[in-house]
Amino acid sequence: MEIRVGLPLDTDGFLRRECPTCEREFKWFHHEQSDPDAEIATQYFCPLCGVAAGLNAWWTQTQIAYARGQAGPSLDQMMQDTIASAFKSAKSIKFEVNKNFSLGLDAPSTPEEPNDMTIVVPPCHSNEPLKVPESATNLLHCLICGSEFTA
């Protein structure tokens, strides 16, 4: 079962991320899949601590909770469909779907994305701008190659 979950961007088009190593938050620019300016990467570097991690390691705790919550209504529907399907071919059992049956798994509201942090542009990959906390603009690392730079 695959459930697509959209996450909010800030008004500048940045997506909040969390480093799996230092657990600090920053934002990277969201490119559309067909964007020719998007860098192809096999890993990303934390702009704050410089440690690399895999492509799917950067979710914030809020994003994980939201994604899990989004699965609830789909699981609820799948459960109802599975139960109905299980009894559909049984000729000796009469089964009627109870339309009020529910696991009570409601989808959470979409988290808001504030327009916070300062935009910085690494000189080595200027097509991959970042947003970092204002207190963290001294020594930074490029998201794509990990090179150090100052804002």
Side-chain angles (χ1 to χ4, degrees), residues 50-107:
V51 176
L55 302 178
N56 289 318
W58 302 92
W59 306 109
T60 69
Q61 297 307 304
T62 300
Q63 290 167 341
I64 291 169
Y66 175 67
R68 286 181 178 155
Q70 287 295 309
S74 296
L75 290 171
D76 204 359
Q77 185 62 52
M78 183 182 77
M79 180 64 99
Q80 290 179 31
D81 295 346
T82 300
I83 291 170
S85 175
F87 290 103
K88 194 173 199 173
S89 61
K91 295 180 182 183
S92 61
I93 299 173
K94 182 178 178 184
F95 177 77
E96 292 182 26
V97 176
N98 180 350
K99 300 291 184 189
N100 295 322
F101 172 75
S102 173
L103 298 174
L105 302 173
D106 296 326

Side-chain angles (χ1 to χ4, degrees), residues 24 47-48 118 120 132-141 147-151:
R24 292 186 288 172
L48 305 172
T118 302
V120 295
V132 296
E134 290 183 26
S135 62
T137 56
N138 291 335
L139 181 62
L140 298 169
H141 301 269
S147 296
E148 294 180 345
F149 70 97
T150 55

Side-chain angles (χ1 to χ4, degrees), residues 1-141:
M1 173 182 229
E2 183 176 305
I3 302 166
R4 294 205 175 268
V5 176
L7 295 171
L9 305 176
D10 68 15
T11 58
D12 295 320
F14 285 81
L15 177 65
R16 187 172 299 272
R17 311 286 28 206
E18 180 180 298
C19 175
T21 301
C22 71
E23 298 180 348
R24 292 186 288 172
E25 291 185 358
F26 62 94
K27 296 180 182 184
W28 66 41
F29 185 75
H30 174 72
H31 292 278
E32 295 298 326
Q33 285 185 337
S34 61
D35 187 345
D37 288 336
E39 291 286 341
I40 297 173
T42 57
Q43 65 181 0
Y44 293 116
F45 292 84
C46 175
L48 305 172
C49 72
V51 176
L55 302 178
N56 289 318
W58 302 92
W59 306 109
T60 69
Q61 297 307 304
T62 300
Q63 290 167 341
I64 291 169
Y66 175 67
R68 286 181 178 155
Q70 287 295 309
S74 296
L75 290 171
D76 204 359
Q77 185 62 52
M78 183 182 77
M79 180 64 99
Q80 290 179 31
D81 295 346
T82 300
I83 291 170
S85 175
F87 290 103
K88 194 173 199 173
S89 61
K91 295 180 182 183
S92 61
I93 299 173
K94 182 178 178 184
F95 177 77
E96 292 182 26
V97 176
N98 180 350
K99 300 291 184 189
N100 295 322
F101 172 75
S102 173
L103 298 174
L105 302 173
D106 296 326
S109 58
T110 304
E112 292 190 28
E113 185 54 54
N115 292 314
D116 57 349
M117 303 194 190
T118 302
I119 295 176
V120 295
V121 180
C124 50
H125 290 92
S126 58
N127 55 330
E128 296 293 342
L130 300 159
K131 278 191 173 182
V132 296
E134 290 183 26
S135 62
T137 56
N138 291 335
L139 181 62
L140 298 169
H141 301 269

